[in-house]
């Protein structure tokens, strides 16, 4: 789904850093699942799916 998000300039840096951290965690999650780790183990390790 595509869309537009408006972020107030006063918190833009904080929001972008959090978004990049989330993407990184999701990428690690995907890699672990590809390696055969169980979903519950991945969630326990990274806290995201």
């Amino acid at each position: 789904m595509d869309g537009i998000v408006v972020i107030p300039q006063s918190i833009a840096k904080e929001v972008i850093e959090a978004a990049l951290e989330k993407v990184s965690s999701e990428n690690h999650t995907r890699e672990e699942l590809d390696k055969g780790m169980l979903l519950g183990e991945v969630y326990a390790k990274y806290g995201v799916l």
Side-chain angles (χ1 to χ4, degrees), residues 1-7:
M1 191 166 174
D2 292 332
I4 296 173
V5 176
V6 178
I7 303 169

Side-chain angles (χ1 to χ4, degrees), residues 17-41:
E17 288 173 354
L20 292 173
E21 184 177 324
K22 173 98 169 129
V23 168
S24 178
S25 294
E26 289 171 349
N27 289 337
H28 289 300
T29 296
R30 193 174 305 106
E31 291 168 3
E32 297 285 13
L33 291 170
D34 285 343
K35 292 178 186 176
M37 187 179 272
L38 297 175
L39 190 61
E41 294 172 332

